[in-house]
Each structure stands twice: as structure tokens, then as C-alpha cells.
Amino acid sequence: MSKSFKEQFKTSYTMDAYGAFVLDKTLIFKALQTLLEEDNYTFLVDITAIDYLHVKTQPERFAVVYLLRDQNFQNLITIKTYIDSSLATQSVTPLFKSANWAEREIWDQYGIHFKNHPNLKRILNHKEFVGHPLRKDYPITQGQLCHQSDTLMDEMTPRLKSKGYTSHEDLMFLNLGPAHPASHGTIRTFVALDGENITSAVSEIGYLHRGFEKSCENHTYNQIIPYTDRLNYCSAILNNIAYAHAVEGILGVDLPERAKFIRVIIGELSRIIDHLVCLAAILVDMGALSNYWYLYNPREKVYDLLSKLTGARLTNSYMRIGGMSYDLYDGFEHDLKVCLKEIQQGVSDTLKLIEHNRIFHDRTQNVGIISKEDAINRGLSGPNLRACGVPYDLRVTAPYYHYETFDFDIALGSVGDVYDRMMVRFEEIKQSTRIIKQAMQRLPEGAICVQDHAISLPPKKEVYSNIEGLMNQFKLIYEGVKVPASEYYRAIEGGNGELGFFIVSDGSGTPYKIKVRPPCFYAMAAYPRIIEGSMIADAVLTLGSLNIIAGELDR
Amino acid sequence: MAVGAEAIFGESLITTKLDSAISWARESSMWPYVFGTACCAIEFMSVASSKYDISRFGAEVVRFSPRQADLLIIAGTVSYKQAPILKKIYDQMSEPKWVISAGACACSGGFYDNYTTLQGIDSIIPVDVYVAGCPPRPEAFLDALLEVQKIQATQSLLEDRAKRVFKGVLDV
Ligand code: SF4
């Protein structure tokens, strides 16, 4: 048996202050290979880069960080390497297919070159863009006009060649998106068709790139919360929670019990409405319009509840670092019960129509299949991965907010097709309902924010009546919550899978860098490979079933 | 007292100006093309579904081809990368056409004052009605629709909307 990573690289790595294994860049490929093959770190969570321009204590300006999980999804390891002035390192795409788009993003945003990458080109910014916007010396407001869209032939031609097509004569080229009803937002997939069959496909994203990460570097920690709403806007609160959870991890604070339970309740409710909109939309794509009303109307009901609770229907910004903005209102429990009842009704009405429906089965079963191994290697997570039969759910593998004490099941598929992905979501709606009911029963009284004036705002009574309270409020608002220097990753189970935040803090009230691990990004990277060989109509359903949300995908 | 044709035919006939008749017909049969890119588009889903029900105002025939639509609703953030596509879609719509810019992002870039977001779509295409909100509530979308109907009511058939002077940053 070969030696494990720790044995083999004992003399070559050092541990940095934040628990990352730092290796020379020439060893990265070998190290990741050893981790994959010997230590079974099969899941590449994310790759990102850091520009240390303003941090003088670091040996080089740039570093690349790899996050991996082992096959049981229990352990997370961080590998870091510094990039010298050649600004180049080895690509790890031969090991992890998920690295393909992740490395392209780093090239696009930071200008770090990955040798042997199959197709290193911009991914989020347009092709006329000059410079690398996430570098610290790129001015945040310096926009650049784009005059023309990419033809994507530079990707398509080699793809076709690899499939044995030397001439394009018999093929028809078609753009699905970026402005197409079935592209659910702004995603573009360019396909080469032989009849109605897709011989090869390439996807282009970035049409909704809104500079989330750069904006974060220019706002205080609490000001970022509204930005997180707009990542996966179908379940805004889950994004709030994921972000606050990561920052709280660096601060090392434990939330009051009531806050944890409220986060569970509202978080699961968000998961439900996320799944509702996904299922409603895919059923419309299939031509089953009535189900849209059955599933969307309960969502509308939840909006009413959320407006009462948070003041907004969609973009709630409900969480704060160290807690949340308001406690539950009087009558919340009753409203929640009504919502859950309507949701249950909507789901059962829909299932009645489709569960034993031949057309539905024919359109979804054995369509858009992705295998277990491939799904893991490509970095899929959440319902999409569970549909392949992999029981990876952060609420179970790395429980937070007492999830281990709730009685619920992980919904699993077996084939990994459109049908499984949809049914897993239907089942998760039921399981989330179970969790909410239990949490409501166990909901304790008490504070909803950590009682620390360096983190939570003081009560308004104090602000208006004494100078300490006033100063406290003033400083927290103007300077932000001071977060100790760290490099830290923490994730929760989002609507679409592992939703994590990698935060580099420098002790001030503004993060030095924030990177989201968007579950959609990896699902979308896999999409063109899943649909190759299938029919064009199936490609539409496959996209819907992966639940790609452009805000989260492009950030 | 009725005069002219109305005096002869009684209540079975109304005389009016051609302009008013056409505007009246147009008003209640707008065919929108929803250029939905982000969160605002999710609110548009509510506008179209049963609770807010845009069909009450005759605009439920949402088209996905710009060639069949006369009302362009931009709901969501438009990035520089997206801008040429927006322009193309606008250009493909035939006259007369109207544009609603819904939400802070479409109107001004919203709180995305950064390197990738277009600071207002009116630098690319002309806009008739702006809607505030992030996202606007469904009622605000409906209000904007009514505003467009008001604009239509005042417009003469003889006015060639295609001749309006507009030069956006992508127009060469
Ligand atoms: S205006 Fe607000 S809700 Fe609308 S697209 Fe922009 S960020 Fe999203």
C-alpha cells in the first residue's frame, strides 16, 4: 500500500496559522493525487485564490487554496500554495473534473495561469474585458463595455473533433439562451445538433456576474447580508444563514438556543420554497401548467408570512452576524401552520397528477443521467447528488444548530436522472416540514442575538437614553463587527447543496476577501456533458431539474 | 343630443378618432416579452400567477419571441456582458414598442456599483417607465403596466416612434 498524504509529504508541508497545509506549487498535483487516491479525498469542494497585495507579511502576492472533503464527507482539508511571479501553476483537472471551471474563474478574476488546463479562458467576465477584477489594484467601479457575444466556436470545434466530426456540414448549431424561456435566467448553452440529438454542447455563463465578491471587499460584514440574499434568490434566507454562520465561526461565538431554532425553522421554510419554485418551473417546461399554480400559490402564502416577519417578500435580509433582526411575531405559529398545510396540499395535488402519469414518467425517467462517481468528481452536491444515491447532506454529515437531534430522513434517488432529482425535492419538502414541526415544538424562549456588544447592536432603548449605547451603535454601524484575522471556510446545506463561504479576514470590520462556494456552479459545469447524446427536449428538462439559479451561479 | 351618424343609428354606434380606437384596443392587449435575468424575474412570476394575475390588465400573453411582443419588461440586473443581447432583443421588436425598466438594477445598477454591472439600461435602449424597488412588489409591476397604457393613450398613430432620437452607448 502506498503512503498517505501526511506520511508522504511530512517533510514538505508546513501548517499555517489557520490550519491549512502549505505546499510548494510544484508538489500540488502530486499532493492532491495522493489525497484522492490514498486518503480518499474524493470531493473537491472549491478552489480559490487570494491576492495579498495589502498584506505585507505574506511571502508572495498570490496564493491558491484548495478545499477537499473525504469520501464520507466528514473531514475537510485545506491545501494552500503560494504563486511566484511567474503567475502560473499546474492544473488539477486530470484529477478533478470540477476543477475545470473553478480554475477558469481564478484565471479570469486573478490572472493566475493553470498549465495543462484544457481550455483556460474567461468564464464570468466577457471576452473583451481587460485585466483581472478581483486583484486588489483593480478599481471596483471600472466597468468595460462589451460589444459582441462570444461565438463559442473555439470550444465547440475541438469538442466536435474529439467526437469524430471533421466537417460541420450535417450539423445544425443552436443557441439555447441566454435569453430563452427554458434557460431559467441567463444561461447560454450552445449545441450542435444532428437531427434532434445533441452531439456536443458547451455552456457559457457569467451573464449575471454582478461582482458579489468585489462588493464584499468594500462593505462591512453586516452590510454584506443584503448581497447574500441575491445569490440564490429563491431561498434568500438560507444564504443569509450560510454567510452569518461562517462569520460566526471565525468569531467563535455560539448562538443563543432560540436563535438556532429560529434559523432552523426559517431556513427549512426557505428550502421548501426553493424546491417549490424549481419543481413548478420544470413542470411548466414539461407542459404541465396546472401544477405551476398548485405549487406557486403556497409559495405566495409563505411570502406573506415572510413579509410580516422580515418586511420583504423575496429579499429578506433577515439574519445578522450573531443572530437575526427580529423575533417571531405574535401569531407566527398560526400563520406557519396555514402555510405548511397549503404546501402539503399543493404537493399532494401535484403528485396526484404526475405520480402515476405515463407522460411524466416517459419524459423524466432515464433522462439526463449522471452517475454517482461522475457526480462526485464533478462536485455536485445537495439534491442533485442525493438523486444519484449519495447520502451527502451537511445537516447529517456535519450537523449544526442541533440537526442531529431532529428526526428526519435523507431523501435518496438511485438512478440520478431527472425523475430522481425531482422526487428527491418532493420528498425533501416533506422532510423539511417534519423538521419545522419538531423545531416549533421545541422552540425555547430567550434572546435571539448573542449578548456581546462587540457583535450585536444594543437595544434601541439604550441607544436613545445613554451615551454608551449610542457610541456602541455608532461604532458597530460605521466600523462593522471586528472579525479577527483568519482564513476560514464553513458551509451549510443550502437549497441546492453545499453552500459555503471562504472568508479571509484581517481584523477589521470589512472582509479582506470572500469566496462563495456556489453549488449551482458545479452542477452547471457538468450540464453540457450530461446532455450530450440526448434529445433537445430532454436538455430543457435536465437544466430545470438541476435547479440552476443564475444569481448564485454567476455571483 | 347625438348628432351625425350617432343620431341616425342610435346607441348601436359610437364615433371616435382612429387614434383613440386603436389605443383603446392596444391598451388591453399588450404582449410582453419579459427579459428576466435575476431576482426581479422571480417577482414577475408572482405578477403572472393567480394572486396578482396580470391577465386582469390584458397582458398575460407573455411572448418569448421579441418579434411577437410590443412591451419589453426588463426585470433584473443587466451586466455589460448581457448588454449586447438586450440591445439585440430590443432591435428585433417591431414598432410600436414600449419598455419598462423594473427594479433598481435595471434602472441604475442598483447596489451593484461595480466593474461588471451596467449602471442603468437606459444607456443601451430607451425606457418609457421606471419602477423602483429591489425587487419591486407585484403591485408596482402592475402600476407600471397602467403607466404604459396611459402613455399609449396619448400617442398618435401618425407619430412614428421609430424616428425617436436615441443613441445608446452600443449604437455606432
Ligand atoms: S433590483 Fe434587487 S431584486 Fe431586482 S435584480 Fe436587482 S438586486 Fe435583484
Side-chain angles (χ1 to χ4, degrees), chain A residues 140 205 209-210 227 313, chain B residues 43 77 81 111 114-116:
Chain A
I140 176 169
I205 65 166
H209 179 47
R210 310 193 263 194
Y227 283 101
R313 285 159 53 87
Chain B
E43 274 302 66
T77 322
K81 192 170 180 174
F111 72 170
N114 59 33
Y115 63 92
T116 164

Side-chain angles (χ1 to χ4, degrees), chain A residues 286 354-369 415-423 538 541:
Chain A
M286 228 176 279
I354 60 169
E355 216 167 12
H356 304 292
N357 182 326
R358 174 78 195 277
I359 302 172
F360 175 72
H361 288 182
D362 286 354
R363 294 268 350 241
T364 56
Q365 287 177 351
N366 295 315
V367 167
I369 299 177
V415 183
D417 55 4
V418 172
Y419 180 83
D420 279 355
R421 288 192 281 271
M422 290 181 72
M423 286 304 162
D538 296 340
L541 296 191

Side-chain angles (χ1 to χ4, degrees), chain A residues 5 13-16 18-23 28 32 35 41 44-48 50 64-69 75-81 487-490 502:
Chain A
F5 167 75
Y13 70 70
T14 51
M15 288 282 264
D16 77 359
Y18 314 120
F21 292 86
V22 183
L23 284 150
I28 283 295
L32 262 63
L35 278 168
Y41 277 82
L44 177 68
V45 178
D46 208 1
I47 315 178
T48 189
I50 308 170
V64 175
V65 178
Y66 302 83
L67 297 159
L68 294 105
R69 282 188 199 277
N75 300 309
L76 179 81
I77 190 170
T78 313
I79 307 282
K80 183 172 170 183
T81 183
E487 288 172 13
Y488 185 80
Y489 176 82
R490 203 180 201 187
F502 179 79

Side-chain angles (χ1 to χ4, degrees), chain A residues 109 123-127 129 133-134 138-149 178-181 185-186 204-212 214-215 219 223 226-227 230 233-234 277 280-281 292-293 296-297 299-300 303-304 307 313-315 550-551, chain B residues 33-53 63-66 76-86 88-89 105 110-119 123-124 133-139 169-172:
Chain A
Q109 299 282 46
I123 184 162
L124 295 179
N125 294 296
H126 55 84
K127 69 170 195 226
F129 200 91
L134 280 192
Y138 190 94
I140 176 169
T141 52
Q142 190 177 312
Q144 301 185 23
L145 271 186
C146 167
H147 297 87
Q148 209 141 42
S149 301
H180 188 276
T186 55
E204 191 196 18
I205 65 166
Y207 286 103
L208 193 58
H209 179 47
R210 310 193 263 194
F212 170 79
K214 190 86 174 176
S215 297
H219 288 84
Q223 282 177 331
Y227 283 101
R230 287 147 181 87
Y233 31 72
C234 290
V277 86
Y292 178 78
W293 317 118
Y296 200 85
N297 285 346
R299 188 179 156 102
E300 197 62 61
Y303 278 158
D304 290 344
S307 336
R313 285 159 53 87
L314 186 69
T315 44
Chain B
Y33 177 104
V34 184
F35 192 79
T37 59
C39 353
C40 281
I42 305 289
E43 274 302 66
F44 188 83
M45 289 173 79
S46 290
V47 181
S49 58
S50 21
K51 187 165 172 192
Y52 293 94
D53 195 8
R63 294 287 96 182
F64 290 108
S65 163
T77 322
V78 177
S79 62
Y80 287 107
K81 192 170 180 174
Q82 185 90 322
I85 291 151
L86 173 62
K88 192 168 213 165
I89 284 174
C105 282
F111 72 170
Y112 294 103
D113 184 7
N114 59 33
Y115 63 92
T116 164
T117 311
L118 193 66
Q119 302 299 302
S123 61
I124 306 288
C134 182
R137 286 188 59 94
E139 293 91 335
V169 286
L170 290 184
D171 291 295
V172 277

